Amino acid sequence: MSALDPPGGRKAVAVWGIGVAVYFVAVIFRTSLGVAGLDAADRFHVNASALATFSLLQLLVYAGMQIPVGLMVDRLGTKKVLTLGAVLFTVGQLGFALSPTYEMALAARALLGCGDAMTFISVLRLGTRWFPARSGPLMAQLAGLVGMAGNLVSTLVLAPVLHGAGWVPAFAGSAVAGLVVLVPLVLFLRDHPEGHGPSPSTRGTGGSGGFVRRQIRASWSEPGTRLGLWVHFTTQFPAMVFLLLWGMPFLVEAQGLSRSTAGGLLTLVVASNMALGLVYGQIVGRRQSARIPLALGTVGLTALLWASVLVYPGDRAPMWLLVTLCLVLGSCGPASMIGFDFARPANPAERQGTASGITNMGGFIASMTTLLAVGVLLDATGDNYRIAFSTVFVLEALGIAQILRLRPRALARERERVISASPAFEARGLGRSPRSRRSRA
């Protein structure tokens, strides 16, 4: 551990836990529409394209806010950004509960997306400020795991309340969770441990415009940042689209399952994600060379299972194949976290927020594109899910091409940086040249 590394310890866990709790609630609110898609269509009298607009607008705001939020985190600190985010997503969830019209509900989801956008990057920043660098991959995966637990709450708790108590009690009641996490956030969260704050030179000089340009330009110039974006783009969206909106309609309308059975399969995706998150975090933390194989392997397996379900003879796929698909979709979230493991070492601490924001845009841009494409194709083809979900393969092919293009430069730059900074890295064998690795093999 470097002498400059944060100490970690119980206090770090406590502070990080407050931030993760805020992210947990944000994910509950973000994914609440995933179990209420059919109810929302009935409540607001909209078709598939209009229904997709709910999630599309929410993700559009989320993705569009990633770089501004990263800049805000780097400039203002984690606590201020998280507090603003918690207020916004709580008001958005409450507004969605009480909206009498489709247009007002759209505005509420946009507000929710704005607040949600401020959470995950802030949690990543807390991890880099409070824990040693070697813990980075595991802390990112743990944050993602807790977020998926929020998705699990949407499926197991919000869905039954929605169908039992009704729309307003379910969504307005869930908004109380935002107030619950806001209290410890305001009272106890700290941006960094004592003695480990950013140096004065990293706080930005020459005006805010100069700071913004420098941060974005420097972060984007790193191949590792761009590779992280495309890894996130390619791996995250299949599960996101399935959980956020189209999984429930697909399983009920196209596969003929009951809502309870479909909800169980959505829960399986979340459970698989949580289990695999720990596995991926441990593997990447111990073997950095496993990052690309894990990411590409996840994409390939996801494509294979989707193709198997969509081309299966007959109108409906068998339950064992749907279960397998959901288990594999659970790997998409952990694989997307690998994107941050490329952006993190490519950027110094004062650019972590901006670099994470750029990376985090990837998966949400892919998710927005797929959400809209599926809705449009469903309306255009008379609810032909086989054609609509074929969009997944187009975006995966694009992402794989970009990953393969950027991989050599990003890894070479990362190897040079780490070797120059830490002789111990060479001693562990991670910095060997390609020639020495071939001779050892």
Side-chain angles (χ1 to χ4, degrees), residues 34-350:
V35 298
L38 298 176
D39 300 86
D42 292 338
R43 178 177 176 85
F44 298 110
H45 309 292
V46 294
N47 60 16
S49 297
L51 181 61
T53 304
F54 275 124
S55 296
L56 179 64
L57 179 61
Q58 182 180 333
L59 291 183
L60 179 64
V61 172
Y62 187 104
M65 287 290 294
Q66 290 308 292
I67 292 179
V69 168
L71 292 165
M72 289 170 63
V73 170
D74 288 336
R75 191 68 179 265
L76 303 177
T78 303
K79 182 173 183 176
K80 292 179 181 178
V81 177
L82 263 183
T83 301
L84 178 59
V87 171
L88 291 178
F89 67 60
T90 301
V91 173
Q93 184 77 342
L94 183 61
F96 190 61
L98 303 177
S99 295
T101 66
Y102 174 70
E103 291 75 17
M104 290 184 66
L106 276 178
R109 293 306 285 187
L111 191 63
L112 192 159
C114 186
D116 182 18
M118 299 181 180
T119 58
F120 187 63
I121 293 176
S122 297
V123 171
L124 290 179
R125 179 59 174 256
L126 281 177
T128 60
R129 285 298 189 189
W130 282 89
F131 293 93
R134 66 172 183 270
S135 302
L138 181 59
M139 301 312 297
Q141 290 287 358
L142 287 174
L145 185 152
V146 174
M148 289 309 295
N151 204 322
L152 197 63
V153 169
S154 292
T155 305
L156 295 181
V157 179
L158 186 62
V161 173
L162 176 65
H163 300 142
W167 182 276
V168 174
F171 281 95
S174 66
V176 175
L179 300 176
V180 171
V181 296
L182 191 59
V183 175
L185 167 60
V186 172
L187 294 179
F188 303 114
L189 190 132
R190 299 293 180 269
D191 286 349
H192 49 76
E194 187 176 353
H196 290 269
S199 62
S201 62
T202 67
R203 295 182 184 274
T205 58
S208 59
F211 172 78
V212 169
R213 288 191 296 271
R214 284 195 306 274
Q215 290 289 93
I216 296 176
R217 186 185 304 115
S219 297
W220 185 253
S221 68
E222 292 290 346
T225 304
R226 301 197 300 276
L227 178 59
L229 179 148
W230 282 106
V231 168
H232 200 267
F233 176 102
T234 314
T235 54
Q236 187 206 42
F237 78 94
M240 177 69 72
V241 168
F242 197 78
L243 289 171
L244 199 59
L245 183 60
W246 291 123
M248 180 70 77
F250 170 73
L251 294 172
V252 173
E253 297 177 352
Q255 298 301 314
L257 303 181
S258 67
R259 287 197 180 198
S260 59
T261 303
L265 288 176
L266 294 179
T267 303
L268 185 61
V269 177
V270 177
S272 174
N273 183 300
M274 295 174 69
L276 291 174
L278 293 176
V279 176
Y280 276 48
Q282 291 289 347
I283 293 174
V284 173
R286 294 176 181 179
R287 289 185 61 86
Q288 293 285 286
S289 60
R291 290 174 295 178
I292 290 292
L294 271 178
L296 293 181
T298 299
V299 174
L301 193 57
T302 302
L304 176 63
L305 265 297
W306 259 123
S308 300
V309 169
L310 296 179
V311 304
Y312 193 86
D315 294 334
R316 298 171 183 174
M319 180 58 70
W320 67 265
L321 186 55
L322 294 175
V323 168
T324 306
L325 171 66
C326 290
L327 288 172
V328 171
L329 285 176
S331 66
C332 293
S336 71
M337 294 296 103
I338 296 173
F340 298 102
D341 294 321
F342 287 110
R344 188 183 305 110
N347 293 273
E350 62 269 18

